[in-house]
Amino acid sequence: MRPPEETAGSTRPGAGDRTAPPARPMLMLTLATVGFAVNFWAWALLSPLGPRLKENLDLTSFEQSLLVAVPVVVGSLGRIPVGALTDRFGGRVMFPLVSAATIVPVLYLGLAGHSSLGALLVGGFFLGIGGTAFAVGVPFVSAWFPPERRGLAVGVFGAGMGGTAISALTTVQLVDANGMAGPFLITAGVLAAYAVLAAVLLRDAPGRTVPTEPLARRLADTVRLPVTWQASALYAVAFGGYVAFSVYLPTYLKTGYGLAQADAANRMAGFVLLAVAMRPVGGWLSDRMGPTRVLGGALAVVVAGAAVQAATPSLVPVGTVAFLAMAAALGAGSGATFALVALLAPANKVGSVTGVVGAAGGLGGFVPPLLMGAVYGAYGTYAMGLVLLVLVAAAALAFTVTRVRRAAAPGAGGRATNPA
């Protein structure tokens, strides 16, 4: 029988690193956001190189889609155990660990793993480790801020997904200037520097709630929480849509509109940067208006933008406006989803819930690139894939304004009234 002080949700000496000098929440938020960006930079290294690797290795459209999707699915599923481990050990341990582990596949891909599809898939599989950093940062940041400021704080942290823009803007140019190894060696060096910095400076929030049940039991409890599945469904659309466009947009623009690789990568970077900028805005608005209102508005914009783009309009200005509108909506919707998690998830399960929800978001980004490649290979057009996005976003909108809105209403079962 477990003694009283060892029950789930208890705190114990050292859990919040109380012997360390007090650290400011904004400093911790900044360090976590930088770590998220650096790991996402590594996670997205293969996407800008997709068209080049397709030509060099004579890949089919489906094989190219598979190549850029594998890190997404691995990084997504890996968030489930990493989120639960973060609940247990804290971001001070997990951020340096994830960053250091990501160095290995980055070096492998840059030095030896880009000569065949099989080698790239192996490297891409382990490159997915970088994508798990998200499940470390959300519980770490949430613990440092009071409930009324968590939406904005988690939204600011989520802006670290702009690491994919760093990859989009620099990878192709670095390969052209320094060869295939160039961007991978630079990224590995930045990851190593951050791992050391995080190990020295990061501190978990004082009084952090530390669960002590076995991992399997905590995960089982997590999947029974309504907020886990509600937020997972919404994040699969919001963040999944962002991931899908960020990894497949260069191919879409090159194939569908005949753009040069560098031009397509730069336009993808613009899409990413706008989505990144809107993520903290979505969290900030959620603190003031409620996350379901923000989600409803964002999903309505996605429905409209995807419907316009399904008709394959001219890229300038109609297609550009449609894509930028969807970027802003997907970013704001992603921020609002985790404002919902911060509002409804029990404090000692934020990491576990984040892991499952983050996995759903990543998996939501895994399927569309494969689907788009298959649709284009079969019909010579991307229209059907965008029509499916319209239908999925419309279903998510209906779910948000009905069931999710009722669940998030005051007294309907948030953390204060429905602890797990």
Side-chain angles (χ1 to χ4, degrees):
M1 180 135 179
R2 198 179 279 127
E5 66 272 18
E6 290 296 315
T7 57
S10 66
T11 57
R12 54 183 175 79
D17 203 15
R18 300 179 188 188
T19 60
R24 294 175 298 170
M26 290 306 299
L27 174 61
M28 296 299 103
L29 174 58
T30 300
L31 289 170
T33 304
V34 170
F36 182 28
V38 169
N39 279 277
F40 252 44
W41 175 10
W43 193 39
L45 280 171
L46 290 180
S47 176
L49 297 175
R52 175 171 303 200
L53 293 168
K54 179 182 179 181
E55 294 176 4
N56 291 347
L57 301 176
D58 194 25
L59 305 179
T60 66
S61 294
F62 180 80
E63 288 172 335
Q64 179 189 353
S65 300
L66 181 64
L67 174 63
V68 299
V70 163
V72 173
V73 72
V74 175
S76 302
L77 292 175
R79 292 175 187 177
I80 297 174
V82 168
L85 288 170
T86 301
D87 279 340
R88 179 67 179 84
F89 296 107
R92 184 185 184 187
V93 171
M94 294 302 296
F95 253 128
L97 185 61
V98 167
S99 302
T102 305
I103 294 171
V104 177
V106 168
L107 289 176
Y108 167 76
L109 285 166
L111 298 176
H114 55 265
S115 58
S116 69
L117 177 62
L120 284 165
L121 290 176
V122 170
F125 181 91
F126 290 101
L127 191 64
I129 295 171
T132 68
F134 179 73
V136 179
V138 170
F140 176 80
V141 169
S142 293
W144 273 106
F145 289 86
E148 65 274 12
R149 295 178 60 199
R150 282 180 189 154
L152 176 59
V154 173
V156 170
F157 166 76
M161 67 187 189
T164 56
I166 299 175
S167 179
L169 290 169
T170 63
T171 301
V172 174
Q173 288 83 347
L174 288 170
V175 169
D176 289 340
N178 304 298
M180 185 63 76
F184 294 91
L185 292 175
I186 291 171
T187 307
V190 175
L191 281 166
Y194 177 75
V196 173
L197 184 70
V200 172
L201 296 180
L202 281 185
R203 296 291 184 270
D204 290 311
R208 181 178 68 88
T209 303
V210 181
T212 56
E213 305 125 307
L215 176 62
R217 181 178 172 184
R218 281 189 284 129
L219 289 175
D221 290 343
T222 297
V223 299
R224 287 195 288 266
L225 293 171
V227 66
T228 302
W229 296 109
Q230 292 163 359
S232 292
L234 296 173
Y235 205 57
V237 178
F239 186 70
Y242 161 79
V243 170
F245 280 123
S246 68
V247 300
Y248 200 72
L249 198 54
T251 300
Y252 177 94
L253 293 174
K254 186 175 186 296
T255 304
Y257 287 96
L259 299 186
Q261 182 182 357
D263 190 12
N266 287 338
R267 288 174 185 269
M268 185 269 271
F271 180 98
V272 167
L273 288 172
L274 180 56
V276 167
M278 287 302 296
R279 184 154 183 162
V281 173
W284 177 77
L285 289 172
S286 296
D287 286 339
R288 284 150 181 78
M289 301 169 54
T292 55
R293 288 184 179 179
V294 179
L295 279 162
L299 289 167
V301 172
V302 173
V303 170
V308 169
Q309 192 57 35
T312 317
S314 60
L315 187 57
V316 179
V318 178
T320 299
V321 171
F323 275 120
L324 291 179
M326 286 191 286
L330 292 169
S334 297
T337 302
F338 272 94
L340 185 71
V341 170
L343 177 69
L344 298 180
N348 66 327
K349 290 187 173 65
V350 173
S352 298
V353 173
T354 296
V356 176
V357 175
L363 290 174
F366 172 74
V367 175
L370 298 178
L371 182 63
M372 294 290 272
V375 166
Y376 188 85
Y379 302 105
T381 177
Y382 290 114
M384 183 58 68
L386 287 157
V387 168
L388 290 173
L389 175 58
V390 171
L391 296 175
V392 170
L397 173 58
F399 181 62
T400 298
V401 299
T402 55
R403 187 168 180 178
V404 177
R405 183 173 64 180
R406 288 194 297 269
R415 182 162 50 222
T417 59
N418 187 28

